[in-house]
């Protein structure tokens, strides 16, 4: 019976299957490899069974605490390549010990070999390494590959902030979505129930049946559009500079449904949305708040204090998203999705950022020291993100508008005390990032340099067949309604800050009124993107790594500048 089932599931109308590579093999990278490999094995009609997992090679000795330790074996007594151990024991004994990996997870030390012929690249490594990885990957991936970034961090340059999905997309000339959620890796790996959010805005060029443009011109009703000519719009809402190569029709469509099939398990439940900016920012910014939560826990201030920090932090996350990604972000992502408030809660309860911050206060040592002592090579993301976000806010002249983010930075730099946190954030309760949501979602102008059908059309569309919708936070509800493809230490100096209440932040795109448009025939969400994010280059990160600390250290302990980007 099983054989018949397997045969049936391998029957597919498609000549090719998606090959998946996980780029990264840390605590979360290995966990996601496990999840994905379980699904590729179960869905042989869509995916090749084997999942390549690129491993940053290192020599390690199997710890005596490992179930695989055998004093009589060279494998245990001598240092071994991590890839060899993973493929031999089917376990990542360093970064995900005690969790069996499916045999179809193949550890590969060669980055270029691991991604060869893969149509789906899942990026899962600490954010400081992604620049170097992209450089090595350029020219070695399929031109029509697509990416999902599981990285929790933001890319800050001298004066801009962007998402790692964008960095990857621009560096590799591909489209890249994001996965983020309340996902402490060890719990997911142990198959304890959790949820996650996948954000993916399928490029129009990936439509399976593009129709050529006709002399009559495009029309939403008839879709006489050559979809292969459509420029993809990025999170700024503008036509992307990346000229995407369409996914060949030999492959199953790479849409919300396929991505759900790739990541969803009963113990790891996936919701797919289109708000890439919201999902990515939620995962990145909550790490700063987790450090604040760890600080107050380290002082033993109790749950009320932690809840206050989390509430204020959530408001700053939303405000940051609206300010800098206002054209496409959906504030409700922060409150309704796992990638938002749920991730904030879990990270502030049981995450590494929280734990290390707490221990740093309890032990009276810098957080990097705790990171090195406690994490066995795993990396904190919140410390670096706090520095990067502060660098950006400072250049924008907006540090005071984000008092909690700024306070965490100042404490990490040793310029302020944890005990001063209440004063530093006093007045934060006045932030009202949700106050004028209805004005945020005006569709961006559609002028592009490429042949793109006008939308909304100036000629009368066949509105009888398509309902009109308010172009407000709707794209995910449209998605679920089936309109998207498929389913969708102390220091001696106190920081003085003025209350933000006296100077409220002008919200970027708050001037428009609700905007009535018919839903686009292809993907409504494409027309709800945004703004900003000046063009980025990986190079810019180097500027940060070379940047001097923004302030002279005045603390009794010499806090590290935390600006150590690593470029290979
Ligand atoms: N661990 C979690 O619970 C968790 C959950 C969700 C999301 N995340 C996010 O996932 C991303 C990856 O985190 P992780 O937990 O898998 O990693 P990790 O903290 O376990 O980091 C260690 C990884 O970095 C690699 N590495 C070390 N030096 C390197 C170099 N020079 N170049 C490239 N790689 C190098 C190591 O080999 C290892 O795979 C992060 O952005 C993190 O915030 C983590
Ligand atoms: O352990 P942290 O603090 O890196 O957080 C882990 C995950 O991001 C929680 O979702």
């Amino acid at each position: 019976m099983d054989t018949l089932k397997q045969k049936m599931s391998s029957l597919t109308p498609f000549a090719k299957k998606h090959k998946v590579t996980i780029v990264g093999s840390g605590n979360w990278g290995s966990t996601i490899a496990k999840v994905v490999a379980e699904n590729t094995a179960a869905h042989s009609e869509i995916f090749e069974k084997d999942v390549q997992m690129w491993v940053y090679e290192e020599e390690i000795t199997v710890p005596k605490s490992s179930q695989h330790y055998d004093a009589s074996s060279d494998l245990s007594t001598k240092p071994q390549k991590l890839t060899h151990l993973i493929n031999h024991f089917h376990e990542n004994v360093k970064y995900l010990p005690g969790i069996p990996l499916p045999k179809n997870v193949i550890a590969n030390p060669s980055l270029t070999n691991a991604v060869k012929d893969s149509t789906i690249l899942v990026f899962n490594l600490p954010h400081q390494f992604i620049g170097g990885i992209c450089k090595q990957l350029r020219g070695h991936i399929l031109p029509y590959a697509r990416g999902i970034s599981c990285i929790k961090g933001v890319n800050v340059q001298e004066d801009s902030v962007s998402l790692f999905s964008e960095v990857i997309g621009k560096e590799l000339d591909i489209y890249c979505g994001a996965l983020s959620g309340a996902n402490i890796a060890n719990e997911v790996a142990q198959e304890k129930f959790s949820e996650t959010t996948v954000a993916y805005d399928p490029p129009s060029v990936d439509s399976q049946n593009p129709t050529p443009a006709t002399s009559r011109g495009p029309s939403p009703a008839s879709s006489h559009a050559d979809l292969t000519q459509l420029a993809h719009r990025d999170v700024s809402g503008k036509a992307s500079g990346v000229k995407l190569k369409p996914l060949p029709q030999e492959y199953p469509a790479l849409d919300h449904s396929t991505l759900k099939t790739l990541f969803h398990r009963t113990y790891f439940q996936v919701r797919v949305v289109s708000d890439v900016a919201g999902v990515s920012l939620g995962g990145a910014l909550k790490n700063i708040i987790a450090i604040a939560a760890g600080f107050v826990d380290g002082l033993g201030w109790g749950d009320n204090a932690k809840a206050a920090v989390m509430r204020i932090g959530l408001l700053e996350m939303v405000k940051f998203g609206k300010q800098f990604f206002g054209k496409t972000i959906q504030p409700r992502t922060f409150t309704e999705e796992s990638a938002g408030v749920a991730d904030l809660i879990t990270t502030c309860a049981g995450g590494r950022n929280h734990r290390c911050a707490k221990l740093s206060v309890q032990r009276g040592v810098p957080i990097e020291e705790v990171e090195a002592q406690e994490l066995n090579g795993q990396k904190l993301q919140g410390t670096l993100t706090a520095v990067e976000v502060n660098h950006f806010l400072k250049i924008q002249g907006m540090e005071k508008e984000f008092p909690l983010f700024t306070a965490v930075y100042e404490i990490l730099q040793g310029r302020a005390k944890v005990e001063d946190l209440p004063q530093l954030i006093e007045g934060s309760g006045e932030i009202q990032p949700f106050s004028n949501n209805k004005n945020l979602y005006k569709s961006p102008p559609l002028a592009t340099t490429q042949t793109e059908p006008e939308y909304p059309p100036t000629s009368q569309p066949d509105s009888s067949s398509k309902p009109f919708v308010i172009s407000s936070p709707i794209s995910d509800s449209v998605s679920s309604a089936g309109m998207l493809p498929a389913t969708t230490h102390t220091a001696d100096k106190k920081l003085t800050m003025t209350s933000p209440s006296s100077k409220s932040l002008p919200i970027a795109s708050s001037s428009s009124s609700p905007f009535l448009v018919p839903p686009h025939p292809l993907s409504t969400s494409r027309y709800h993107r945004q703004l900003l994010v000046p063009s980025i280059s990986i190079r810019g990160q180097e500027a940060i790594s070379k940047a001097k600390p923004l302030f002279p250290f005045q603390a009794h302990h010499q806090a590290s500048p935390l600006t150590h980007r690593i470029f290979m």
Side-chain angles (χ1 to χ4, degrees):
M1 189 63 185
D2 271 357
T3 322
L4 180 64
K5 216 170 150 189
Q6 277 163 3
K7 274 190 184 152
M8 292 291 286
S9 75
S10 66
L11 290 177
T12 169
F14 297 101
K16 293 188 171 175
K17 299 175 185 182
H18 289 292
K19 182 181 170 193
V20 187
T21 295
I22 314 296
V23 179
S25 56
N27 194 230
W28 187 225
S30 302
T31 302
I32 281 292
K34 171 182 181 293
V35 168
V36 163
E38 288 168 359
N39 282 329
T40 58
H43 298 280
S44 57
E45 74 284 9
I46 305 175
F47 306 109
E48 288 186 16
K49 183 174 177 185
D50 283 353
V51 172
Q52 292 284 318
M53 178 172 77
W54 172 69
V55 175
Y56 179 72
E57 190 67 287
E58 54 189 301
E59 299 243 322
I60 68 150
T61 307
V62 176
K64 286 192 176 153
S65 57
S66 169
Q67 59 171 326
H68 302 293
Y69 182 81
D70 173 0
S72 64
S73 163
D74 278 359
L75 273 182
S76 294
T77 53
K78 293 184 178 157
Q80 302 287 331
K81 288 195 167 21
L82 181 55
T83 46
H84 179 60
L85 291 175
I86 294 173
N87 288 332
H88 184 82
F89 292 129
H90 302 291
E91 179 181 317
N92 188 336
V93 291
K94 176 161 184 187
Y95 292 105
L96 193 59
I99 303 294
L101 294 176
K103 293 197 170 113
N104 56 325
V105 171
I106 315 294
N108 190 336
S110 163
L111 185 59
T112 51
N113 184 268
V115 298
K116 190 169 180 292
D117 298 331
S118 286
T119 46
I120 303 177
L121 307 173
V122 180
F123 294 87
N124 200 328
L125 65 168
H127 77 275
Q128 53 267 50
F129 303 129
I130 192 66
I133 294 300
C134 284
K135 276 184 201 158
Q136 292 179 60
L137 284 178
R138 236 186 128 74
H140 295 281
I141 63 168
L142 288 176
Y144 47 82
R146 299 288 177 251
I148 292 289
S149 166
C150 304
I151 297 160
K152 290 184 173 175
V154 283
N155 180 54
V156 169
Q157 288 191 1
E158 287 301 278
D159 60 355
S160 68
V161 60
S162 59
L163 314 174
F164 280 104
S165 53
E166 293 180 282
V167 171
I168 292 165
K170 287 182 181 173
E171 279 298 302
L172 302 180
D173 288 334
I174 62 173
Y175 173 73
C176 187
L179 179 152
S180 187
N183 302 142
I184 288 175
N186 291 333
E187 294 179 14
V188 178
Q190 290 168 53
E191 305 188 4
K192 294 176 176 170
F193 167 60
S194 70
E195 295 182 302
T196 202
T197 318
V198 171
Y200 196 82
D201 202 359
S204 305
V205 294
D206 284 355
S207 166
Q208 293 294 291
N209 296 300
T211 55
T214 68
S215 55
R216 284 170 48 224
S219 135
S222 57
S223 275
H224 285 291
D226 182 351
L227 303 183
T228 63
Q229 294 304 308
L230 282 180
H232 189 69
R233 287 175 190 274
D234 58 26
V235 292
S236 73
K238 294 179 183 155
S240 167
V242 177
K243 178 75 178 139
L244 294 175
K245 309 278 181 311
L247 181 75
Q249 293 187 25
E250 288 87 355
Y251 290 96
L254 230 176
D255 53 18
H256 283 192
S257 170
T258 302
L259 288 170
K260 185 161 185 174
T261 306
L262 184 62
F263 291 109
H264 183 92
R265 304 292 295 164
T266 302
Y267 65 84
F268 186 61
Q269 299 196 4
V270 169
R271 274 172 54 81
V272 191
V273 302
S274 302
D275 181 10
V276 178
V279 166
S280 304
L281 283 181
L285 299 176
K286 59 86 187 171
N287 284 333
I288 306 177
I289 302 155
I291 289 175
F295 284 156
V296 300
D297 269 351
L299 288 176
W301 279 0
D303 294 336
N304 295 341
K306 189 153 91 172
V309 159
M310 290 165 67
R311 187 194 76 83
I312 292 163
L314 179 63
L315 296 185
E316 290 192 21
M317 283 165 63
V318 178
K319 185 170 170 177
F320 190 95
K322 286 172 72 171
Q323 179 70 27
F324 302 114
F325 296 85
K327 284 277 169 62
T328 61
I329 212 153
Q330 299 194 24
R332 67 180 196 168
T333 299
F334 292 100
T335 52
E336 293 181 14
E337 297 302 334
S338 180
V341 67
D343 195 9
L344 178 65
I345 292 168
T346 206
T347 311
C348 291
R352 298 167 299 184
N353 287 288
H354 167 268
R355 185 158 63 91
C356 289
K358 179 178 172 180
L359 288 173
S360 87
V361 173
Q362 289 174 338
R363 295 176 186 173
V365 299
I367 191 169
E368 310 89 305
E369 209 172 299
V370 180
E371 179 183 16
Q373 287 166 355
E374 297 289 323
L375 294 187
N376 191 29
Q378 294 181 34
K379 308 286 182 201
L380 293 182
Q381 302 282 267
T383 44
L384 189 51
T385 302
V387 171
E388 292 164 334
V389 165
N390 180 268
H391 178 89
F392 175 68
L393 289 176
K394 189 176 267 109
I395 288 173
Q396 301 297 313
M398 294 183 71
E399 279 179 293
K400 289 178 185 171
E401 309 289 350
F402 295 86
L404 183 62
F405 290 171
T406 303
V408 170
Y409 168 77
E410 294 293 334
I411 293 167
L412 286 171
Q413 295 298 307
R415 288 169 48 87
K417 296 184 211 170
V418 175
E419 290 84 349
D420 293 335
L421 201 59
Q423 287 109 295
L424 296 176
I425 61 177
E426 198 167 5
S428 300
E430 304 303 321
I431 298 172
Q432 294 180 332
F434 289 99
S435 60
N436 54 358
N437 286 353
K438 66 179 180 173
N439 291 330
L440 283 175
Y441 302 100
K442 182 175 177 181
S443 296
L446 293 164
T448 72
T449 52
Q450 304 193 30
T451 333
E452 175 154 12
E454 178 193 33
Y455 189 83
T458 45
S459 56
Q460 195 61 36
D462 180 5
S463 55
S464 60
S465 60
K466 303 267 192 258
F468 274 69
V469 294
I470 295 177
S471 174
S472 61
I474 50 107
S475 60
D476 295 334
S477 52
V478 170
S479 166
S480 56
M483 294 182 196
L484 286 174
T487 57
T488 70
H489 307 306
T490 40
D492 51 16
K493 188 180 173 196
K494 208 189 271 185
L495 183 74
T496 46
M497 299 180 68
T498 54
S499 161
S501 57
S502 58
K503 196 177 175 189
S504 69
L505 175 68
I507 301 299
S509 47
S510 60
S511 58
S512 59
S513 54
F515 193 69
L516 288 172
V517 294
H520 190 275
L522 308 173
S523 163
T524 304
S525 60
R526 282 186 70 243
Y527 294 89
H528 294 272
R529 315 304 192 58
Q530 341 1 58
L531 173 221
L532 226 191
V533 189
S535 64
I536 46 90
S537 77
I538 298 288
R539 278 257 158 247
Q541 295 181 343
E542 285 164 352
I544 291 178
S545 70
K546 286 177 194 147
K548 293 203 170 68
L550 301 168
F551 298 104
F553 296 128
Q554 296 178 344
H556 81 273
H557 79 257
Q558 187 82 347
S560 126
L562 295 166
T563 50
H564 47 280
R565 293 271 194 176
I566 295 177
F567 288 82
M568 295 176 291

